[in-house]
């Protein structure tokens, strides 16, 4: 074994960073044996240097992250700051100064992944980021390496623990969205400002990363259709139950049936209770992958938290250190397929639509005519009426999002339709 | 991209081999893009050369596997023959002649993994074998790479699809073992001689491989305790249901609580219906991994079959080809921890024991005394009697296998105990 240690600079020492530092210390012998050389924490960049950090030598702590990544003797920079800047500049500076990079930064990778990969390739260094998607669950490596000889057609997953906790709570207790969110906040599953989670921004960043790897195509955050889950109601869950379904916030990356394009989207959807994703409880994450040869695979585990995310960071750290010792780099960006990313209007799926309608003869015929005119085929209709008012629940066969939007627009113009109470996609069949 | 192709020799062209060859042909462009060079099928060794093999150039087919691996221009040998010989000799010959090896051979790896890894290291070549455990499910790579910075404490899995199909059938229909086996055979899930599956040999080989990787320790097939599932009865399932459990054939690899030793075993066990493994249906496989930092992860998918196994083989083929192009090798055997493998007697778990006893006063006291004398603490007892005969179902707290065996031996000597109807371990809590 080499005795000269590999030097690691840690950018950020919050929930994840402090756990990375702790494991690097407590498991130093194991890491050395698995890498083939010891690893040494050479510096820790933080914002608040006065904070006491147990187990970290204060002499290593600095507020000057730029000077740390420019030192020139750093082998690997571990970036767990998050956000776009200064993380982006620090990572490119790290490459320019000969370091490899391990990052957990989903927002940055989804927005600027191509530029970061280019910087890594230019410097002939590694950029690894298993921790950016679904915490400790190995996903990037299985998609990028285990399935490298297969053709992935679909990635369907629960990739945000906060929203899964809220939806699971609504499902199991009948609570409304606000009540479930309040509980998630009280328990620390939701942040004070939950926007990034509940509006689907976090899941959309992960969808962009997963779609890019799965389809060997650059998919940016802007390419991902996004709908949050703040408007899911207890009534939606009741409707879902009647269909033998539950509701999850899903990230869905699909190859078009003809193989010529891909789509990526995040939105709440009904899925059958028999689908393995339906039983993913609390803040857990799970991702379903469908490929030509392997068939259906599922990866399940804790999607966030200091320790699980640190586990993923350290797995990458071992791989990157091994690559440096053998003078090579792992698989970089694979975007050779360069498939076009189709707009949401092209997505084909099923829909569950609740309409408030006038309770009089001929309404169903009117509504059915509108669906037919827009080429949306109806699977089932359920009509419940009471004294002048009625509700109509329509479940469609597969139709494009554009056709569905056209249908709904036309339905709103009917005198007999008083309102469209909810529209929800039905997935996982 | 390099234009000179990497040459692949395929040993075996059955269900898996023919699918590997097919995908190599139909996905040639994708494989080339992902590897960075084209791959070429340079030869196919078979037993029956006269058989027509669609899509394979007859000029490539040979019965002389030894000559093929000795050719000297082969980059990667893909071994999908199975069994110990000639596979073992062919693989070592391949290394001696400069090739890397991708194998799906669980029996050989479990029996002679150390020697094969040594031959690979001696030749400075890769030995990859993702397909040897749980078909298409990425397990070897996540354990060996994604969790390389973590400490795995337990691997608990359903790694044999045939037995899971049979047990699932017994559970859902109330069928007995023979009836369920007959259906599995008729549907092609069980072989004409099902011994390797139903007696747990196949699962034990996989347990040895998984334990070795998880604990960085050599674990041989002989180190794995093995009990088949041919004696599981409909009555056992009825008992399991009363406890809110089902029965699965599990492969369990555990680190002792003090970290100083490991165990590996295969046997049927009750697991709670709430455990994610309980809902693994039909011939699917799933493996639960528990580690210090990552927590609980699960990997789920098809555990066998031509296409899924070929997917795993091809993922390895891409990795091995990439390594050759960059003049390096991937992670080899990691056995530095060299932990002792403890015998079954040291395993600590819970037990569900059904006794046929005389229906008279004092029997429960006698039985309870025997448990106490052997330091096995009782959790619950259920007594059902009718006219002279009674049955006593005892569920214990955690106790060592040795203590439990001592208890059962002593129970059998009691006049009032007419027989021990069943003993089943309770796992997954």
């Amino acid at each position: 074994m080499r005795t000269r240690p590999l030097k690691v600079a840690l950018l950020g020492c919050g929930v994840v960073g402090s756990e990375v530092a702790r494991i690097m210390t407590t498991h130093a012998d194991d890491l050395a044996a698995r890498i083939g050389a010891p690893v040494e924490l050479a510096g820790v960049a933080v914002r608040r240097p006065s904070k006491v950090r147990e187990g970290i030598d204060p002499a290593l702590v600095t507020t000057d992250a730029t000077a740390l990544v420019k030192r020139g003797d750093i082998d690997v920079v571990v970036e767990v700051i998050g956000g776009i800047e200064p993380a982006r500049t620090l990572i490119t500076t790290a490459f320019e100064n000969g370091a490899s990079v391990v990052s957990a930064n989903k927002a940055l990778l989804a927005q600027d992944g191509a530029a970061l990969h280019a910087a890594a390739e230019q410097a002939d260094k590694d950029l690894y980021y298993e921790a950016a998607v679904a915490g400790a669950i190995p996903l990037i490596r299985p998609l990028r390496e285990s399935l490298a000889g297969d053709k992935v057609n679909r990635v369907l997953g629960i990739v945000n623990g906060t929203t899964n906790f809220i939806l699971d709570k609504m499902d199991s207790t009948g609570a409304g969205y606000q009540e479930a969110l309040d509980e998630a906040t009280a328990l620390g599953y939701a942040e004070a400002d939950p926007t990034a989670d509940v509006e689907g921004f976090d899941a959309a960043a992960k969808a962009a990363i997963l779609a890019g790897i799965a389809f060997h195509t650059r998919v940016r955050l802007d390419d991902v259709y996004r709908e949050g889950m703040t408007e899911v109601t207890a009534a939606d869950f009741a409707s879902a139950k009647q269909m033998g379904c539950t509701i999850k916030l899903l990230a869905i990356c699909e190859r078009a049936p003809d193989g010529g394009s891909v789509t990526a989207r995040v939105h709440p959807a009904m899925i059958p209770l028999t689908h393995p994703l339906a039983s993913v409880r609390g803040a857990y994450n799970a991702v379903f992958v469908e490929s030509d040869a392997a068939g259906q695979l599922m990866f399940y585990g804790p999607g966030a938290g200091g320790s699980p995310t640190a586990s993923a960071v350290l797995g990458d750290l071992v791989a990157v250190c091994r690559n440096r010792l053998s003078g090579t780099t792992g698989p970089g960006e694979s975007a050779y397929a360069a498939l076009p990313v189709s707009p949401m209007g092209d997505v084909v799926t099923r829909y569950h639509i609740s309409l408030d309608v006038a309770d009089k003869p001929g309404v169903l015929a009117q509504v059915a005519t509108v669906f037919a005119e827009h080429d949306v085929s109806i699977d089932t209709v359920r009509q419940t009426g009471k004294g002048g008012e009625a509700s109509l629940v329509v479940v469609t066969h597969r139709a494009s999002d554009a056709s569905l939007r056209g249908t709904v627009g036309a339905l709103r113009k009917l005198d007999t339709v008083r309102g469209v109470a909810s529209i929800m996609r039905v997935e996982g069949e």
Side-chain angles (χ1 to χ4, degrees), chain A:
Chain A
M1 195 197 292
R2 191 176 100 157
T3 52
R4 187 164 57 81
L6 288 150
K7 293 190 177 179
V8 175
L10 183 59
L11 309 184
C13 200
V15 176
V16 176
S18 58
E19 192 62 13
V20 169
R22 189 189 67 75
I23 297 174
M24 280 184 67
T25 309
T26 55
H27 288 43
D29 291 347
D30 280 320
L31 291 172
R34 295 172 194 183
I35 290 167
V39 278
E40 174 189 304
L41 195 57
V44 184
V46 302
R47 270 183 303 188
R48 288 176 296 153
S50 56
K51 188 176 162 194
V52 176
R53 293 179 169 84
E54 203 184 334
I56 293 178
D57 179 355
L60 297 178
V61 174
T62 174
T63 53
D64 192 346
T66 305
L68 179 58
V69 299
K70 278 188 174 171
R71 256 172 57 171
D73 65 336
I74 301 297
D75 290 287
V76 186
V77 168
V78 173
E79 184 271 305
V80 287
I81 306 174
I84 305 303
E85 285 293 355
R88 176 169 50 192
T89 303
L90 289 169
I91 289 175
T92 50
T93 306
F95 287 135
E96 286 160 13
N97 285 273
S100 297
V101 173
V102 174
S103 171
N105 195 328
K106 58 196 162 262
L108 178 57
L109 280 153
Q111 185 175 309
D112 284 317
L116 295 180
H117 280 294
E121 194 175 349
Q122 169 80 16
D124 197 22
K125 295 290 174 287
D126 275 327
L127 170 62
Y128 275 48
Y129 48 95
E130 182 69 77
V133 182
I137 310 174
L139 264 181
I140 308 288
R141 193 172 271 105
L143 280 173
R144 192 161 69 167
E145 302 179 39
S146 305
L147 291 167
D150 206 336
K151 184 179 173 193
V152 176
N153 295 314
R154 197 179 210 212
V155 178
L156 177 79
I158 296 166
V159 294
N160 180 276
T162 305
T163 48
N164 200 58
F165 179 90
I166 295 170
L167 291 168
D168 186 21
K169 187 58 65 177
M170 292 174 73
D171 186 34
S172 58
T173 67
Y177 165 70
Q178 190 59 47
E179 188 186 338
L181 171 62
D182 290 345
E183 182 169 348
T185 309
L187 292 171
Y189 288 116
E191 294 182 48
D193 177 0
T195 309
D197 293 318
V198 300
E199 294 295 354
F201 290 101
D202 174 86
K206 292 164 179 172
I209 295 171
L210 289 174
I213 296 172
F215 304 133
H216 300 269
T217 286
R218 278 185 191 145
V219 179
R220 286 172 49 97
L221 185 53
D222 295 346
D223 296 324
V224 182
Y225 173 82
R226 181 193 52 75
E227 222 176 86
M229 45 69 75
T230 57
E231 287 170 30
V232 176
T233 63
D236 290 328
F237 273 101
S239 298
K241 266 179 197 154
Q242 284 189 313
M243 284 185 66
C245 286
T246 186
I247 298 169
K248 297 289 187 188
L249 183 73
L250 297 178
I252 305 172
C253 313
E254 283 176 321
R255 190 189 293 275
D258 69 0
S261 63
V262 299
T263 53
R265 52 193 164 113
V266 167
H267 54 69
M270 294 185 183
I271 54 167
L273 292 172
T274 51
H275 194 284
L277 289 179
S279 55
V280 176
R281 297 278 170 212
Y284 271 80
N285 282 195
V287 177
F288 224 72
V289 177
E290 294 178 17
S291 73
D292 263 6
Q296 297 188 318
L297 303 172
M298 190 174 79
F299 304 81
Y300 166 95
S307 287
T309 309
S311 172
V313 166
L314 285 159
D316 279 355
L317 181 64
V318 169
V320 167
C321 286
R322 283 183 46 87
N323 289 344
R324 282 184 82 91
L325 287 181
S326 63
T328 183
T329 54
E333 186 188 29
S334 175
Y336 73 90
L339 296 168
V341 184
S342 299
M344 187 62 189
D346 289 3
V347 165
V348 171
T349 187
R350 297 178 63 211
Y351 307 86
H352 177 285
I353 303 140
S354 296
L355 304 172
D356 294 326
V357 297
D359 190 9
K360 55 186 186 186
V363 172
L364 178 54
Q366 278 191 327
V367 166
T369 303
V370 169
F371 276 86
E373 283 169 355
H374 291 83
D375 272 336
V376 179
S377 168
I378 292 175
D379 180 13
T380 60
V381 179
R382 199 174 65 248
Q383 196 167 194
T384 50
K386 37 177 185 184
E389 291 204 354
S391 81
L392 211 56
V393 173
V394 179
V395 181
T396 75
H397 287 295
R398 287 168 60 79
S400 75
D401 190 82
S403 302
L404 193 277
R405 278 169 203 258
T407 308
V408 171
L411 287 172
R412 287 190 204 274
K413 288 184 192 146
L414 290 182
D415 287 344
T416 49
V417 172
R418 297 188 178 153
V420 179
S422 86
I423 305 168
M424 191 151 318
R425 297 175 186 86
V426 183
E427 304 284 343
E429 290 175 305

